[in-house]
Amino acid sequence: AFEPPPPRLREWVELRRKGSRIYGWQRASWSHFNLDDYSSADFIAQMDADTIFHTWVDEELLFDDFGRPRVTGITHWSDFAPVLRLMYLQTDFDFMAGQPMLLRREHLKA
């Protein structure tokens, strides 16, 4: 973690999150509130640690021809098992499919 712990950490760190065994999810979530401290860009591409990129992520993928951020997402359950089997990886993972998520840096300022 780069920033100091959040206020009243002891009270909310006990909130359990499925898949989080050592409270990393809570600290990562707190860090997302501070993304503007680490960049001077107009937009910040936020992603989770379990994001898998299936292609290059560049400006053309993130923004339309007018410079507006593209809104991406997924509206159904994704099955990554076939791809993982093809890559000889274990198949019991759950990945984020609609990332990175673009945020305006100015919206993060406190």
Side-chain angles (χ1 to χ4, degrees), residues 72-83:
T72 61
I74 191 163
T75 58
H76 64 278
W77 185 256
S78 294
D79 181 12
F80 299 106
V83 174

Side-chain angles (χ1 to χ4, degrees), residues 52-88:
I52 291 182
F53 294 118
H54 300 277
T55 186
W56 294 105
V57 178
D58 59 13
E59 191 171 349
E60 291 177 356
L61 184 70
L62 299 175
F63 299 94
D64 69 12
D65 292 338
F66 300 101
R68 299 175 300 199
R70 295 185 191 274
V71 177
T72 61
I74 191 163
T75 58
H76 64 278
W77 185 256
S78 294
D79 181 12
F80 299 106
V83 174
L84 295 170
R85 277 195 296 276
L86 187 67
M87 297 172 65
Y88 299 103

Side-chain angles (χ1 to χ4, degrees), residues 32-36 44 103-110:
H32 290 166
F33 289 118
N34 296 282
L35 291 175
D36 58 317
I44 296 174
L103 307 166
R104 289 187 185 274
R105 184 175 175 273
E106 66 191 47
H107 291 169
L108 294 165
K109 292 181 182 177

Side-chain angles (χ1 to χ4, degrees), residues 30-49:
W30 175 249
S31 291
H32 290 166
F33 289 118
N34 296 282
L35 291 175
D36 58 317
D37 292 337
Y38 303 109
S39 175
S40 60
D42 292 336
F43 289 92
I44 296 174
Q46 181 270 323
M47 61 190 177
D48 286 353

